[in-house]
Amino acid sequence: MKKLLFLLCALPCMLQAQKFDAKNTYVLIVGVLKWKDSQCLHPFSDVNRKDWELKDQLVKMGVPVGNITSLTDEKADLASIQKGFETLSAKCTGNSTFIFYYAGHGIKKEHEYYFANYDIECERCKKTGFGLSYLSTDLLSMNKAGTIMLWADCCYSGALLAQGEKIKEAGRNCIVFSSATASNTSTGNWTFTQTLLDCFRNEKINDDGKDGKITTKDIRLALENAMKYREHQMGGYYSSFTSEYEFVSGATKTVITMPSKGSYASGSYAYGKYEGNWKPVRIIAPVGNKYLARFYFYSDYKDVELGVDELKPIYFTKHNVNDKVDVTWEGQKYASTILKAVNDFYYIKYDGYDDSYNEWVMYDRIYTGKETSAKIEENGKWYPGQIMEEKNGKYFIRYSG
């Protein structure tokens, strides 16, 4: 009888259309850029904060203002966050979608994960912090939403994927987007949230399917590339849906034009010259014999036209599983072993440390011991660096510092 009741309860959420129903969506946004314990948790600038923009964008997408609770900084204490969950959960039914978004500091302590509420005490996280296990226990017990979405822009945010799997096991649908893995810290920039906003605003360059729709696949790829090329960071994704979930529709379909050899496709990443320095840039579109390219900053971006001589492709050195390497962490090198290799990321184990310290890194933190010192000339100036790889008479170099 208990199994039969479970199936009957789970049926409404499994039959739910795989498309964003804005009118029946409830959202809790928690953005913390400063904390009561400022000695333990450094603050972030609130210039052009993207958590506020996310609220505005969801309203533009049709989510009723009354369905959104936004808690920022001092208002995001633990009691208020829990109250926010309770109030919104009381409104949810089996046909509802519930979204929880967090931006701030993520904390990993004693194999537990916390999103830092304003009044958290770093030495007493278990007693004073928002533990992520709340999402697959307390939240599920009081929230009947058929679909639960978890989005986070913070360190260790990939710990949400485990919560998403538990939510699925409880008979609900779940979609998770995270800026980092469960083992990694995250950038101090708004890269993750800015990319979500770009997708929800239906920018053509994020429509990977070229069908006028923005789906989970489009968002996953946009986030994956943004975090990889702009931050050298691996993000996280989980979906219980068996096919793509549609967030936005109605955009003008994009005509696919294959780029000629040596050119840059719209939506791709490269290095571009900005004020004399090479920085990651996203190609928006060709403009005559130039490219409209987008440079991103902490919480803003700037579109600039660049000639082909002001662009160069992004390249990553390759490593192999089981390679013995040194990996930098907070400026120090540690002997490590590469356990996995995925999409130019390497999952490493620090030799002599338990697996809780394992993490995903890119080439810029890896040293093989085969690097050779060099001086590199650019525009008449010489810079110290290292040769990391030689191929076909060309050298891949890393500038010191």
Side-chain angles (χ1 to χ4, degrees), residues 195-259:
T195 304
L196 273 184
L197 286 165
D198 292 344
C199 289
F200 293 154
R201 289 166 180 162
N202 218 353
E203 291 194 349
K204 289 182 183 180
I205 56 173
N206 295 311
D207 179 12
D208 185 74
K210 314 303 179 190
D211 57 2
K213 302 174 183 178
I214 299 296
T215 67
T216 43
K217 180 182 178 181
D218 298 316
I219 297 174
R220 174 179 61 81
L221 290 174
L223 287 170
E224 181 181 291
N225 289 329
M227 301 312 297
K228 174 181 177 178
Y229 293 113
R230 284 149 59 183
E231 305 294 349
H232 286 190
Q233 184 175 309
M234 177 181 280
Y237 167 74
Y238 172 80
S239 175
S240 65
F241 287 101
T242 55
S243 60
E244 297 304 322
Y245 182 98
E246 182 183 321
F247 278 92
V248 185
S249 60
T252 303
K253 293 185 179 181
T254 303
V255 177
I256 301 176
T257 303
M258 297 302 294

Side-chain angles (χ1 to χ4, degrees), residues 36-203:
K36 187 176 181 179
D37 185 357
S38 59
Q39 295 300 313
C40 174
L41 299 168
H42 68 80
F44 298 104
S45 168
D46 62 0
V47 174
N48 298 331
R49 54 188 304 163
K50 299 300 171 180
D51 47 358
W52 290 354
E53 287 189 31
L54 181 61
K55 176 184 177 180
D56 293 340
Q57 180 59 34
L58 289 171
V59 171
K60 290 178 182 178
M61 291 165 65
V63 179
V65 175
N67 288 12
I68 303 176
T69 296
S70 180
L71 303 172
T72 55
D73 300 337
E74 297 94 336
K75 295 180 180 179
D77 59 89
L78 182 59
S80 297
I81 292 173
Q82 292 174 338
K83 182 65 175 177
F85 276 112
E86 293 168 6
T87 302
L88 289 171
S89 293
K91 302 177 182 180
C92 292
T93 68
N95 293 320
S96 301
T97 295
F98 179 81
I99 299 173
F100 170 56
Y101 164 90
Y102 174 84
H105 277 303
I107 298 174
K108 179 182 179 183
K109 195 162 189 176
E110 297 176 353
H111 306 292
E112 298 290 338
Y113 296 91
Y114 304 88
F115 287 169
N117 41 285
Y118 174 75
D119 54 343
I120 192 173
E121 297 175 24
C122 292
E123 299 305 316
R124 299 175 64 240
C125 288
K126 199 163 188 175
K127 294 285 187 181
T128 65
F130 178 75
L132 297 197
S133 59
Y134 179 97
L135 299 169
S136 58
T137 54
D138 299 61
L139 176 61
L140 280 184
S141 68
M142 62 183 168
N143 192 310
K144 304 305 179 185
T147 298
I148 295 176
M149 299 190 189
L150 308 174
W151 309 337
D153 195 348
C154 65
C155 296
Y156 312 115
S157 51
L160 287 178
L161 274 66
Q163 299 302 310
E165 291 174 352
K166 291 179 181 179
I167 290 171
K168 167 63 165 56
E169 290 170 2
R172 316 289 187 88
N173 285 313
C174 189
I175 294 174
V176 177
F177 295 120
S178 67
S179 66
T181 70
S183 60
N184 285 81
T185 57
S186 188
T187 174
N189 298 321
W190 284 102
T191 303
F192 171 85
T193 308
Q194 179 66 68
T195 304
L196 273 184
L197 286 165
D198 292 344
C199 289
F200 293 154
R201 289 166 180 162
N202 218 353
E203 291 194 349

Side-chain angles (χ1 to χ4, degrees), residues 15-53:
L15 291 178
Q16 201 174 42
Q18 297 179 17
K19 187 174 182 180
F20 187 59
D21 178 9
K23 297 297 183 183
N24 203 15
T25 295
Y26 298 85
V27 186
L28 177 60
I29 293 175
V30 178
V32 194
L33 302 185
K34 60 181 180 180
W35 288 263
K36 187 176 181 179
D37 185 357
S38 59
Q39 295 300 313
C40 174
L41 299 168
H42 68 80
F44 298 104
S45 168
D46 62 0
V47 174
N48 298 331
R49 54 188 304 163
K50 299 300 171 180
D51 47 358
W52 290 354
E53 287 189 31

Side-chain angles (χ1 to χ4, degrees), residues 6 23 31-32 47-48 53 82 116 121 138 184 209 266 278 286 305 317-318 329 347 356 371 387 391 394:
F6 170 77
K23 297 297 183 183
V32 194
V47 174
N48 298 331
E53 287 189 31
Q82 292 174 338
E121 297 175 24
D138 299 61
N184 285 81
S266 297
W278 292 101
E305 289 189 11
T317 56
K318 304 295 183 182
W329 187 80
Y347 189 64
S356 66
E371 297 87 1
I387 297 173
K391 186 182 294 185
K394 294 183 178 181

